[in-house]
Amino acid sequence: MVIPVHDVNPARRTPWVTYALILANVLVFLFTPGMTGSVTGEGGLAQMCHLQAFLDHYAAVPQELLQHRLPRLVPTGETGVGPRGPGCVIGPPDYDKSPELSVLTAMFLHGGWLHLLGNMLFLWIFGNNVEDRMGHLRYLLFYGVCGYASAYGFALTNPSSTTPLIGASGAIAGVLGAYLVLYPRARVWVLVPFLIFLPLRLPAWIVLGLWFVLQAFYSAGQGVSSAGTVAYVAHVVGFAVGMLLAWPLKPGTPPPPEPRGILFGRRARRAP
C-alpha cells in the first residue's frame, strides 16, 4: 500500500469547504467523550462505556437505518458488575434518535487518531481539486451524498449489523472517485514502504486505482483476518458514487500541469 503525501495539481481557488470539513472532524474528535484515552494512551472501563454509549447515540447503525427504530436495550454509559464481572450497563434508550440524521453525525466521528489522520490526509490531498472543479456549495452537497450512499450501501449488505458505523471514509472515498475521473493523469507523490519509505511520483490513476482495488478485495473478506472491523463495502460504494457524480464534469476539466525535471523521485536528465 502506498501513502500519498502531495499531488502536483494546484487549485485555482481556496478550498474553504475542505478546510472546514477537516477542522470540524478534528474538533469533534477532540470533544468526543471517552476519546481522552486514545490521545493520552490511558483509558478505563468507565471511559470505554461512556464512549460506547455516545457512539450508539450518534453513529449510524445499519439495523436502525433499515428498520427505522431504536433497539430496546442500548449502552447507558454507566458501569456495573454482573455475573461475568465488571462491564457496561445496558438499558432502554433515554434519547430520541433519527436514524437518517445519524448518518450525518457519524460522518464526523472517528475511532482513534490513526482513523482520523488517515481520513484527513486523503481529504487534504485530493479534496481541494475536486472542490475547485465543482464549486464550494456543489462540492459540499456531493460530499454529503457520497457519505449517505456509502452508509446505506453498507447497511443493505449488512442488514442485521448493530455495530456503529463511524468515520468520514465513505464520503472521502467519493472524493477519491471524483478525483480519479477528473484528474487521472495528475502526479501524486507517495511513500512506498520498501525497507525504507521510498518517495515516488505516480499518476493518480495508479494510486487511486490501487486503493480502490484493495478496498474491493478487502470487502470480499480477502487478504485480511478481520474484514468486518472496517466498512470496506462503504468505501467501495462511496468511490463508485463519486465517480458517477463526477463523470458529467469530466469534459471541460482542465488537465493538471505536467511536472518537469523530476520523474519517480529522481531528477531526469535532459536530452542533449
Side-chain angles (χ1 to χ4, degrees), residues 187 189 201 259-268:
R187 297 301 193 269
W189 281 102
R201 194 184 66 199
R260 299 177 182 177
I262 300 178
L263 181 62
F264 293 104
R266 296 182 178 181
R267 186 167 297 278

Side-chain angles (χ1 to χ4, degrees), residues 66 130 134 177 232 252 262:
L66 299 182
V130 178
M134 293 185 174
Y232 291 112
I262 300 178

Side-chain angles (χ1 to χ4, degrees), residues 219-239:
S219 69
Q222 304 296 325
V224 290
S225 59
S226 56
T229 60
V230 179
Y232 291 112
V233 172
H235 301 173
V236 172
V237 173
F239 193 94

Side-chain angles (χ1 to χ4, degrees), residues 74-244:
V74 297
T76 64
E78 300 177 355
T79 60
V81 180
R84 298 184 180 180
C88 301
V89 176
I90 61 174
D94 59 354
Y95 54 81
D96 292 326
K97 178 181 180 181
S98 168
E100 295 78 14
L101 186 59
S102 70
V103 177
L104 178 62
T105 55
M107 290 165 58
F108 294 92
L109 301 175
H110 291 83
W113 274 110
L114 288 179
H115 188 199
L116 173 71
L117 295 178
N119 278 343
M120 296 305 101
L121 175 64
F122 276 83
L123 183 57
W124 173 270
I125 295 173
F126 300 106
N128 61 336
N129 294 109
V130 178
E131 180 180 351
D132 187 34
R133 182 65 182 93
M134 293 185 174
H136 304 307
L137 184 58
R138 185 161 51 174
Y139 170 73
L140 181 61
L141 179 62
F142 164 85
Y143 185 90
V145 168
C146 291
Y148 267 83
S150 63
Y152 275 95
F154 181 82
L156 289 172
T157 56
N158 298 270
S160 61
S161 174
T162 57
T163 302
L165 183 64
I166 61 174
S169 306
I172 296 173
V175 173
L176 303 186
Y179 192 101
L180 178 60
V181 167
L182 299 174
Y183 306 104
R185 297 184 179 181
R187 297 301 193 269
V188 181
W189 281 102
V190 300
L191 296 178
V192 180
F194 184 75
L195 299 180
I196 60 173
F197 283 102
L198 182 65
L200 295 177
R201 194 184 66 199
L202 302 175
W205 68 268
I206 292 181
V207 177
L208 299 180
L210 176 61
W211 183 89
F212 178 75
V213 169
L214 288 176
Q215 303 308 302
F217 188 64
Y218 292 158
S219 69
Q222 304 296 325
V224 290
S225 59
S226 56
T229 60
V230 179
Y232 291 112
V233 172
H235 301 173
V236 172
V237 173
F239 193 94
V241 171
M243 291 186 67
L244 290 174

